[in-house]
Amino acid sequence: MKGIVLLVVTGLVGWWYFYSLPTALFLTTHSHLLLDRHGKLLSAHIAADGQWRFPEMDSVPDKFTTALIQFEDKRFQQHSGVDFLALARATYDNLYQQRVVSGASTLSMQVIRLSRSNPPRTLSEKVVELLRAWRLESRYSKDEILKLYASHAPFGGNVVGLEAAAWRYFARSPEQLSWAESALLAVLPNNPALIHPGRNRERLLSKRNRLLKQLFTRNLLSKLDYELAVAEPLPDAPHVLPRLAPHLLDTLAAQHPTGQRFRTTLDVNVQQQLNTLAQRTGEQLALEGVQNLAVLVLDNRTFEVVAYVGNRPDMDFSTDQGHAIDMIQRPRSTGSTLKPLLFADMLEQGLITPDSLVADVPVNYSGFTPQNYNRHYHGSVSAREALARSLNIPLVNLLSLRGVEPFLMQLRQLGFTHLTRSAQDYGLSLILGGGEASLWDLSVAYANLAQRASQDQQHQQTFWQQGRVLLTDKADSGRIATLSSAAAWLTVDALLDVARPGDDGYWEKFSSSRKVAWKTGTSYGQRDAWAIGTTPDYTVGVWVGNAAGEGRAGLTGTQSAAPILFNTFSLLPPNRGWFQRPDWQMSQVDICRDDGYLSNGSCVTKTLHLPLSSHFARITPYHQLIHLDASGQWRVTSDCESVANMQTRDWFVLPPDQASFYQQFHADYLPLPPWRADCQSSESGQQEALSVVYPQEGMQIYLPRELDGKLGQTIFRAVPSHQEALLYWHLDNQFIGTTQTFHQQAVQPLAGKHRLTVVDEAGNRVERAFEVLVTAESAGKRRISK
């Protein structure tokens, strides 16, 4: 029988030993913390129960540990949870005084009491604390028990834990506290109400100084440190916790609901400077009706986020102007920001060279009629110039050549997560802002472009990189990189030609004159202004606009976002160098100097570097050999001139619609010489004698509205082979006039479908079918295609 009883007792003791403590001592909510790369506090969220309770600490600073043990539990390192000497002393004192005058709680017992939410102080509760403190010491080390106490002790008001107290009362981390500050926080949990500003100040000061005196007496504090410590004043009202990156903290807390302490790659110094810049610029933009902005800085070598301004800093989130929204993560119309990526993709595919001419004339794609920002046409421009000047029509033509589907696949491979619709749904407007992307995706894409451009033969990345905002994030995305260093370098090099605002008189406003490859973008309706720039070291992305989507006159990438871009670069370390041309990944080809295509053997050439893998093979379509008579003034053939009297020349010839605009910007462009009169009936008939530049076949057009509210006219334009030719214009078989020298005809057709016919003196005839969307009968229903 005694054996059974002993067995039962042993079992109960064993069960109690293993299960007297819960698996987790503290089941409480914690504040979310955002730390920079060096562990400095950037932002914090209050816990769900309204307490400033930071996550449990990794370690307790030595000063606080020394002060706490001296004040609360001098034999903490020697006992096993219960200090029997202190217990005997407290028992004698309390019995002698017939009341509780002292306690014997060790730090281990106080941890147990804190874990039980401070129940009433009864004898039975004290026994539970004694037993569980002994069990606590068998499960946790002394350092771990100190961390539990420092993380959960009350420090007055709604401040719980040493770290929260250090930031609330002294605006710095526990490791940076002085002896006086550490001593103050060591005595505070014993009576947290003493911290209340304006009350109990003398009592709190006296308790702190008595502890400092004990530390000095026990040679734990030097005389100088003691004298300096007692001279320090008490803290005033609690400090407001830092709000250096509140939008990033909101985003991370939403992505990681169980996360508590986010150790980021941000640099607190750059973040503070950028916040100041964003706040100052945001105030200026607000005067223009623009309420929101966002700035992102990436390190191109590590893809770490250096600074993150999700919206205007220090704004009241309760307003209805969208200041609480993290605009770095919100998808917006991309404007022209995808153009460099198309340029790079087409170089990689061997479809163009940087110097390849692209048509810049009025064009219509199944009702989609793109327009350049300045409403001008240049006839034909190089792909590099089209990118640098952000000309819409040439880039739409390039996308048409590449195909929307393959380009969309490249963007998704690069990491654009918001382009979820079909290629047919986006159409060619994708390159002009018909799709949406976040500032995060765009900045990471440009950083990838810069990183590819700076790689050498020994250090090549296989995968596209992704942005890293947490120290634990990985850079490799797992998506195969589909762009060579050569194509990336050629693209970055082309972006150096983008005209800075100084070309319009704004350059004096920028303090930075460093080399930056950059691009702007402005969405339709002036709702979004973008500026993204990159160097070998950093990529900076800027978005400016209204979170609700309202457009504002004058809101453009150049005027609104570019100043922030260049001022941000001025906050960063200077460039350590520039992108070196990756000759190891390039081949040299000879191209025609004036059109950028492979030579046909007759044009004047120049040498160009192209990606080794591109295999560009397009021979010039614009150079042709012509035969002239001995004077060089007239074109002839063997039917009307002796071969011995003919001279053969290479001639640069653009289609008539392109040539008409091109020669306005290129005075050296020479049209083909006319045919000699006796050669008119031969080969000359093969040359197109007449071209209609506007409207194009199947085009939908609108009539502009004048300032007085009345509908204006549209201007038709034609180009004959000879400028002085007389042209006859007909609309729907009705004669409307003639032109000579200047071949433009102003008309105001009614709504509906029409047919334009133009005939020259020689009987050459061109017809164009088009549709008018707005006329006088349907005033106000104007449609503008972009």
Side-chain angles (χ1 to χ4, degrees), residues 88 154 157 168 171 195 259 263 295 299 321 401 420 433 445 534 538 587 616 622 773:
R168 287 287 281 162
I195 196 63
R263 300 182 182 275
V295 187
D299 186 318
Q321 295 176 331
L401 175 63
T420 57
T534 191
Y538 299 101
S587 61
F616 180 76
Y622 301 120
L773 300 179

PDB file of all heavy atoms in Angstrom, residues 88 154 157 168 171 195 259 263 295 299 321 401 420 433 445 534 538 587 616 622 773:
ATOM      1  N   ALA A  88      13.507  34.455   4.836  1.00  0.00           N
ATOM      2  CA  ALA A  88      13.536  34.404   6.305  1.00  0.00           C
ATOM      3  C   ALA A  88      13.497  35.806   6.891  1.00  0.00           C
ATOM      4  O   ALA A  88      12.781  36.076   7.880  1.00  0.00           O
ATOM      5  CB  ALA A  88      14.792  33.663   6.767  1.00  0.00           C
ATOM      6  N   PRO A 154       6.088  46.267 -16.028  1.00  0.00           N
ATOM      7  CA  PRO A 154       5.375  47.526 -16.300  1.00  0.00           C
ATOM      8  C   PRO A 154       6.267  48.728 -15.993  1.00  0.00           C
ATOM      9  O   PRO A 154       6.993  48.747 -15.002  1.00  0.00           O
ATOM     10  CB  PRO A 154       4.199  47.458 -15.319  1.00  0.00           C
ATOM     11  CG  PRO A 154       4.711  46.639 -14.181  1.00  0.00           C
ATOM     12  CD  PRO A 154       5.658  45.631 -14.771  1.00  0.00           C
ATOM     13  N   GLY A 157       1.970  53.914 -17.023  1.00  0.00           N
ATOM     14  CA  GLY A 157       1.026  54.192 -18.101  1.00  0.00           C
ATOM     15  C   GLY A 157       0.786  52.945 -18.926  1.00  0.00           C
ATOM     16  O   GLY A 157       0.548  51.858 -18.410  1.00  0.00           O
ATOM     17  N   ARG A 168      10.179  55.461 -25.135  1.00  0.00           N
ATOM     18  CA  ARG A 168       9.136  56.401 -24.720  1.00  0.00           C
ATOM     19  C   ARG A 168       9.676  57.503 -23.810  1.00  0.00           C
ATOM     20  O   ARG A 168       9.280  58.662 -23.920  1.00  0.00           O
ATOM     21  CB  ARG A 168       8.013  55.652 -24.002  1.00  0.00           C
ATOM     22  CG  ARG A 168       7.138  54.833 -24.919  1.00  0.00           C
ATOM     23  CD  ARG A 168       6.220  55.703 -25.757  1.00  0.00           C
ATOM     24  NE  ARG A 168       5.067  56.156 -24.998  1.00  0.00           N
ATOM     25  CZ  ARG A 168       4.294  57.180 -25.340  1.00  0.00           C
ATOM     26  NH1 ARG A 168       4.587  57.876 -26.413  1.00  0.00           N
ATOM     27  NH2 ARG A 168       3.253  57.522 -24.614  1.00  0.00           N
ATOM     28  N   ALA A 171      13.835  58.277 -25.805  1.00  0.00           N
ATOM     29  CA  ALA A 171      13.938  58.370 -27.272  1.00  0.00           C
ATOM     30  C   ALA A 171      15.199  57.701 -27.814  1.00  0.00           C
ATOM     31  O   ALA A 171      15.817  58.193 -28.762  1.00  0.00           O
ATOM     32  CB  ALA A 171      13.878  59.832 -27.726  1.00  0.00           C
ATOM     33  N   ILE A 195       6.250  57.524 -12.434  1.00  0.00           N
ATOM     34  CA  ILE A 195       6.728  58.167 -13.655  1.00  0.00           C
ATOM     35  C   ILE A 195       5.797  59.244 -14.147  1.00  0.00           C
ATOM     36  O   ILE A 195       6.123  60.021 -15.025  1.00  0.00           O
ATOM     37  CB  ILE A 195       6.953  57.111 -14.769  1.00  0.00           C
ATOM     38  CG1 ILE A 195       7.816  57.681 -15.909  1.00  0.00           C
ATOM     39  CG2 ILE A 195       5.620  56.624 -15.313  1.00  0.00           C
ATOM     40  CD1 ILE A 195       9.199  58.055 -15.504  1.00  0.00           C
ATOM     41  N   GLY A 259       4.202  38.624 -37.685  1.00  0.00           N
ATOM     42  CA  GLY A 259       5.504  39.243 -37.478  1.00  0.00           C
ATOM     43  C   GLY A 259       5.425  40.349 -36.449  1.00  0.00           C
ATOM     44  O   GLY A 259       4.388  40.986 -36.266  1.00  0.00           O
ATOM     45  N   ARG A 263      13.274  43.580 -39.183  1.00  0.00           N
ATOM     46  CA  ARG A 263      14.629  44.103 -39.367  1.00  0.00           C
ATOM     47  C   ARG A 263      14.837  44.333 -40.861  1.00  0.00           C
ATOM     48  O   ARG A 263      14.934  43.384 -41.637  1.00  0.00           O
ATOM     49  CB  ARG A 263      15.663  43.130 -38.812  1.00  0.00           C
ATOM     50  CG  ARG A 263      15.488  42.862 -37.318  1.00  0.00           C
ATOM     51  CD  ARG A 263      16.564  41.928 -36.782  1.00  0.00           C
ATOM     52  NE  ARG A 263      16.355  41.639 -35.379  1.00  0.00           N
ATOM     53  CZ  ARG A 263      16.777  42.403 -34.377  1.00  0.00           C
ATOM     54  NH1 ARG A 263      17.436  43.520 -34.651  1.00  0.00           N
ATOM     55  NH2 ARG A 263      16.553  42.063 -33.115  1.00  0.00           N
ATOM     56  N   VAL A 295       8.583  57.749 -52.849  1.00  0.00           N
ATOM     57  CA  VAL A 295       9.974  57.669 -53.297  1.00  0.00           C
ATOM     58  C   VAL A 295      10.571  56.364 -52.786  1.00  0.00           C
ATOM     59  O   VAL A 295      10.402  56.009 -51.615  1.00  0.00           O
ATOM     60  CB  VAL A 295      10.819  58.852 -52.776  1.00  0.00           C
ATOM     61  CG1 VAL A 295      12.207  58.831 -53.412  1.00  0.00           C
ATOM     62  CG2 VAL A 295      10.135  60.186 -53.042  1.00  0.00           C
ATOM     63  N   ASP A 299      19.520  49.714 -53.682  1.00  0.00           N
ATOM     64  CA  ASP A 299      20.932  49.454 -53.939  1.00  0.00           C
ATOM     65  C   ASP A 299      21.007  48.445 -55.081  1.00  0.00           C
ATOM     66  O   ASP A 299      20.538  47.314 -54.958  1.00  0.00           O
ATOM     67  CB  ASP A 299      21.597  48.895 -52.679  1.00  0.00           C
ATOM     68  CG  ASP A 299      23.102  48.724 -52.831  1.00  0.00           C
ATOM     69  OD1 ASP A 299      23.546  48.263 -53.897  1.00  0.00           O
ATOM     70  OD2 ASP A 299      23.833  49.039 -51.879  1.00  0.00           O
ATOM     71  N   GLN A 321      -7.473  62.331 -47.960  1.00  0.00           N
ATOM     72  CA  GLN A 321      -6.614  62.609 -49.104  1.00  0.00           C
ATOM     73  C   GLN A 321      -5.637  61.477 -49.399  1.00  0.00           C
ATOM     74  O   GLN A 321      -4.695  61.646 -50.158  1.00  0.00           O
ATOM     75  CB  GLN A 321      -5.852  63.928 -48.873  1.00  0.00           C
ATOM     76  CG  GLN A 321      -6.793  65.126 -48.822  1.00  0.00           C
ATOM     77  CD  GLN A 321      -6.065  66.416 -48.507  1.00  0.00           C
ATOM     78  OE1 GLN A 321      -5.041  66.420 -47.841  1.00  0.00           O
ATOM     79  NE2 GLN A 321      -6.587  67.522 -49.007  1.00  0.00           N
ATOM     80  N   LEU A 401       5.691  45.973 -84.042  1.00  0.00           N
ATOM     81  CA  LEU A 401       6.665  45.079 -84.658  1.00  0.00           C
ATOM     82  C   LEU A 401       7.024  43.927 -83.720  1.00  0.00           C
ATOM     83  O   LEU A 401       7.132  42.772 -84.145  1.00  0.00           O
ATOM     84  CB  LEU A 401       7.925  45.872 -85.027  1.00  0.00           C
ATOM     85  CG  LEU A 401       9.106  45.077 -85.579  1.00  0.00           C
ATOM     86  CD1 LEU A 401       8.731  44.405 -86.900  1.00  0.00           C
ATOM     87  CD2 LEU A 401      10.320  45.988 -85.764  1.00  0.00           C
ATOM     88  N   THR A 420      -2.124  41.613 -65.333  1.00  0.00           N
ATOM     89  CA  THR A 420      -2.823  40.324 -65.290  1.00  0.00           C
ATOM     90  C   THR A 420      -3.792  40.115 -66.434  1.00  0.00           C
ATOM     91  O   THR A 420      -4.294  39.006 -66.622  1.00  0.00           O
ATOM     92  CB  THR A 420      -3.576  40.200 -63.960  1.00  0.00           C
ATOM     93  OG1 THR A 420      -4.478  41.310 -63.832  1.00  0.00           O
ATOM     94  CG2 THR A 420      -2.602  40.234 -62.780  1.00  0.00           C
ATOM     95  N   GLY A 433       0.917  53.501 -71.251  1.00  0.00           N
ATOM     96  CA  GLY A 433       0.246  53.598 -69.964  1.00  0.00           C
ATOM     97  C   GLY A 433      -1.062  52.856 -69.915  1.00  0.00           C
ATOM     98  O   GLY A 433      -1.834  53.045 -68.966  1.00  0.00           O
ATOM     99  N   ALA A 445      12.549  46.749 -61.693  1.00  0.00           N
ATOM    100  CA  ALA A 445      12.865  46.467 -63.092  1.00  0.00           C
ATOM    101  C   ALA A 445      14.033  47.320 -63.575  1.00  0.00           C
ATOM    102  O   ALA A 445      14.951  46.824 -64.247  1.00  0.00           O
ATOM    103  CB  ALA A 445      11.628  46.713 -63.966  1.00  0.00           C
ATOM    104  N   THR A 534      18.688  55.683 -62.674  1.00  0.00           N
ATOM    105  CA  THR A 534      19.584  54.645 -62.179  1.00  0.00           C
ATOM    106  C   THR A 534      21.027  55.001 -62.473  1.00  0.00           C
ATOM    107  O   THR A 534      21.338  55.684 -63.464  1.00  0.00           O
ATOM    108  CB  THR A 534      19.221  53.279 -62.799  1.00  0.00           C
ATOM    109  OG1 THR A 534      19.919  52.250 -62.129  1.00  0.00           O
ATOM    110  CG2 THR A 534      19.518  53.249 -64.284  1.00  0.00           C
ATOM    111  N   TYR A 538      22.776  52.938 -57.508  1.00  0.00           N
ATOM    112  CA  TYR A 538      21.437  53.098 -56.959  1.00  0.00           C
ATOM    113  C   TYR A 538      20.397  53.280 -58.057  1.00  0.00           C
ATOM    114  O   TYR A 538      20.691  53.785 -59.148  1.00  0.00           O
ATOM    115  CB  TYR A 538      21.367  54.318 -56.021  1.00  0.00           C
ATOM    116  CG  TYR A 538      22.276  54.224 -54.825  1.00  0.00           C
ATOM    117  CD1 TYR A 538      23.491  54.917 -54.801  1.00  0.00           C
ATOM    118  CD2 TYR A 538      21.938  53.453 -53.719  1.00  0.00           C
ATOM    119  CE1 TYR A 538      24.341  54.827 -53.707  1.00  0.00           C
ATOM    120  CE2 TYR A 538      22.767  53.362 -52.620  1.00  0.00           C
ATOM    121  CZ  TYR A 538      23.965  54.047 -52.620  1.00  0.00           C
ATOM    122  OH  TYR A 538      24.798  53.954 -51.528  1.00  0.00           O
ATOM    123  N   SER A 587      29.112  42.317 -80.518  1.00  0.00           N
ATOM    124  CA  SER A 587      29.728  42.163 -81.841  1.00  0.00           C
ATOM    125  C   SER A 587      29.667  43.504 -82.552  1.00  0.00           C
ATOM    126  O   SER A 587      28.836  44.351 -82.225  1.00  0.00           O
ATOM    127  CB  SER A 587      28.999  41.097 -82.660  1.00  0.00           C
ATOM    128  OG  SER A 587      27.644  41.479 -82.865  1.00  0.00           O
ATOM    129  N   PHE A 616      21.113  40.697 -85.517  1.00  0.00           N
ATOM    130  CA  PHE A 616      20.364  41.677 -86.310  1.00  0.00           C
ATOM    131  C   PHE A 616      20.683  41.471 -87.784  1.00  0.00           C
ATOM    132  O   PHE A 616      21.850  41.413 -88.182  1.00  0.00           O
ATOM    133  CB  PHE A 616      20.746  43.090 -85.873  1.00  0.00           C
ATOM    134  CG  PHE A 616      20.025  44.165 -86.629  1.00  0.00           C
ATOM    135  CD1 PHE A 616      18.699  44.468 -86.350  1.00  0.00           C
ATOM    136  CD2 PHE A 616      20.668  44.880 -87.632  1.00  0.00           C
ATOM    137  CE1 PHE A 616      18.027  45.464 -87.040  1.00  0.00           C
ATOM    138  CE2 PHE A 616      20.007  45.870 -88.324  1.00  0.00           C
ATOM    139  CZ  PHE A 616      18.686  46.167 -88.033  1.00  0.00           C
ATOM    140  N   TYR A 622      15.941  51.932 -97.084  1.00  0.00           N
ATOM    141  CA  TYR A 622      15.836  53.337 -97.477  1.00  0.00           C
ATOM    142  C   TYR A 622      16.921  53.786 -98.451  1.00  0.00           C
ATOM    143  O   TYR A 622      16.901  54.929 -98.897  1.00  0.00           O
ATOM    144  CB  TYR A 622      15.899  54.229 -96.236  1.00  0.00           C
ATOM    145  CG  TYR A 622      14.806  53.948 -95.243  1.00  0.00           C
ATOM    146  CD1 TYR A 622      15.098  53.551 -93.943  1.00  0.00           C
ATOM    147  CD2 TYR A 622      13.466  54.047 -95.601  1.00  0.00           C
ATOM    148  CE1 TYR A 622      14.097  53.286 -93.029  1.00  0.00           C
ATOM    149  CE2 TYR A 622      12.454  53.785 -94.715  1.00  0.00           C
ATOM    150  CZ  TYR A 622      12.774  53.395 -93.423  1.00  0.00           C
ATOM    151  OH  TYR A 622      11.782  53.127 -92.538  1.00  0.00           O
ATOM    152  N   LEU A 773     -15.905  61.147 -85.628  1.00  0.00           N
ATOM    153  CA  LEU A 773     -16.640  60.788 -84.415  1.00  0.00           C
ATOM    154  C   LEU A 773     -17.417  61.958 -83.836  1.00  0.00           C
ATOM    155  O   LEU A 773     -18.343  61.756 -83.067  1.00  0.00           O
ATOM    156  CB  LEU A 773     -15.672  60.249 -83.353  1.00  0.00           C
ATOM    157  CG  LEU A 773     -14.881  59.007 -83.768  1.00  0.00           C
ATOM    158  CD1 LEU A 773     -13.945  58.582 -82.663  1.00  0.00           C
ATOM    159  CD2 LEU A 773     -15.823  57.870 -84.123  1.00  0.00           C
TER     160      LEU A 773
END
